[in-house]
Amino acid sequence: MRWHPKGYGGHRRDPEQVKREGWREQGLLAVSLEDARLTWPERELVRQLGEKLYGPPPSDEGGRHG
């Protein structure tokens, strides 16, 4: 007999399903700037919101992975 705690084993949800359920159940939105479904103005809006709420993204120049 195998027993796994809830959340371990079984079927793993794909990332899009997790994002969809997060939006529908909690009002959370996870959006990639690289999402091909977005138009340029939509990507720009997402970028501006992200910078307003969380500051600029880390630069790719030199150094650390944060």
Side-chain angles (χ1 to χ4, degrees), residues 16 19 34-39 42-43:
E16 285 299 316
K19 292 181 210 177
E34 307 302 320
D35 193 321
R37 297 172 291 184
L38 300 177
T39 63
E42 292 167 337
R43 283 193 298 273

Side-chain angles (χ1 to χ4, degrees), residues 23-44:
W23 173 248
R24 291 177 178 167
E25 295 172 9
Q26 299 179 19
L28 297 173
L29 184 61
V31 182
S32 170
L33 291 175
E34 307 302 320
D35 193 321
R37 297 172 291 184
L38 300 177
T39 63
W40 181 85
E42 292 167 337
R43 283 193 298 273
E44 185 63 16

